[in-house]
Every structure is written in structure tokens, then in C-alpha cells.
Amino acid sequence: MTAKQMLPIIPDNIVVNKIYGLRGLKVMLDSDLAELYGVETKRVNEQVGRNPDRFPEDFMFQLTDEEWLNLKSQIATSSWGGRRKLPFVFTEHGILMLSSVLNSKQAIQVNIQIVRIFSRIRQFIIDSGELKLEIEEIKQKVSNQDKNIELVFTYLDKLIDKKIEPRKRIGYMPDDL
């Protein structure tokens, strides 16, 4: 198998479960990325620290205390041990940039897999947005049809209630004949 034909190292569902929504962005924790890349978290953060120009605020940011507590409760992380500093999270662009500072074959292959998953998520969001618009259009049409049907029934009721009186004759002959 050539490098281009290599199968994903990690099942997609495991990677997808490590993507979180924070500050309106899809992000991954530094520790999750390190685990996927097969390196220690401190090695990922060291490379980021050595290349600060490659990681602006929209590529990577450090969580606040509140965000970290909220995230820990979502992922059921133990509050004991492990981290001395608040974790960093990486956006899709930050993950792309990580591939330029982490050069192991596993990191590159996992990075490609992660980028493909982000692309599929983005396409799903776009598709679901279009679907929502189509549903709203259908709702609007149905609502208008309900109003039109109600109007037709109102006219029918008026016609039924209207008394039928003898019609006046048209022409030169008097009506009483």
C-alpha cells in the first residue's frame, strides 16, 4: 500500500468525539491531539511555543477557567492530577498548522484524517442549513394554502346561506306574466 492509499490510523468516530464546540468554533484539545499523534501533550505545546507566529488567536487559544470546568463536565474528566495549566485548543486551521511543526508520519496521517473530518462536518452543516430553508419554504406554502382553503369554505358558506329569490326576467316582457 502506498502512502496515499493508507487507511486511517484511528476510527473516524473516535476523532469526531474529540471535537468540541467552544466560542462558536469547532476545536480539539491539545491533549486529545497529542494522544492521536502519539506524542506527549507537553511536546505539542513545546512546538507551539517554539513557533508562536504560526498560531494566532484564531488558530489556537487557551481555555478560561469557566470553559475548562464546563468542558470537563461534558467529557467527564477527572479533576484530580494531570494538568497544571489550562489547556490549549486548536481550530481546524491550527490543526493544519500543527502538521508543519510535528513531522512524524503518524502525526501527518492523523492530521489529514482530522482535516477530512472537519470538511465533512462543515459540509453537513451547510447541507442541514439548506434543508432548513427548504422546510421553511414548505411550511410557508402550506400556511398560505390553509388560508386559501379557509377562504374558499367561507365563500361556500355564504353561497349556501344565501336565499335563492326568483330572478327578474330580462327583456321586454313584464315579470308578472
Side-chain angles (χ1 to χ4, degrees):
M1 215 181 261
T2 65
K4 290 184 180 181
Q5 296 172 334
M6 292 179 79
L7 296 174
I9 295 174
I10 299 143
D12 286 351
N13 64 332
I14 291 175
V15 176
V16 169
N17 289 333
K18 294 182 181 293
I19 298 174
Y20 306 102
L22 285 170
R23 300 183 191 178
L25 302 168
K26 299 285 184 218
V27 297
M28 293 183 75
L29 285 168
D30 56 359
S31 56
D32 289 340
L33 287 167
E35 178 185 339
L36 294 172
Y37 294 151
V39 297
E40 293 179 23
T41 305
K42 67 181 180 178
R43 297 295 168 230
V44 170
N45 291 331
E46 278 176 2
Q47 289 303 320
V48 170
R50 290 179 183 156
N51 300 282
D53 295 340
R54 293 179 183 248
F55 298 95
E57 190 73 17
D58 58 328
F59 283 25
M60 177 207 77
F61 55 89
Q62 193 167 23
L63 296 180
T64 64
D65 287 324
E66 184 179 331
E67 289 170 330
W68 178 230
L69 289 173
N70 186 24
L71 192 60
K72 280 198 309 187
S73 68
Q74 286 179 27
I75 58 178
T77 301
S78 169
S79 60
W80 293 98
R83 299 204 76 115
R84 292 182 183 180
K85 296 180 182 178
L86 292 170
F88 289 97
V89 291
F90 294 83
T91 65
E92 180 180 0
H93 301 297
I95 293 166
L96 280 169
M97 194 58 72
L98 272 176
S99 67
S100 66
V101 296
L102 298 173
N103 291 322
S104 75
K105 286 185 180 186
Q106 181 177 345
I108 291 169
Q109 190 173 355
V110 169
N111 226 12
I112 291 168
Q113 183 181 359
I114 291 170
V115 169
R116 287 181 176 149
I117 289 171
F118 268 101
S119 295
R120 285 197 307 250
I121 289 171
R122 187 172 32 262
Q123 189 59 46
F124 175 76
I125 290 170
I126 290 169
D127 291 346
S128 66
E130 290 172 1
L131 184 62
K132 285 180 183 177
L133 287 175
E134 288 177 22
I135 289 171
E136 283 302 316
E137 287 175 15
I138 291 170
K139 281 182 181 178
Q140 189 65 33
K141 287 179 182 178
V142 169
S143 175
N144 288 339
Q145 288 174 353
D146 285 348
K147 291 175 186 174
N148 290 339
I149 290 171
E150 190 175 316
L151 187 61
V152 167
F153 279 115
T154 304
Y155 288 143
L156 285 173
D157 287 341
K158 285 181 182 179
L159 285 174
I160 290 171
D161 291 343
K162 188 175 182 181
K163 293 182 181 177
I164 300 176
E165 299 174 2
R167 293 177 31 176
K168 280 185 124 183
R169 293 182 85 197
I170 300 176
Y172 296 110
M173 302 292 276
D175 287 336
D176 47 348
L177 283 178

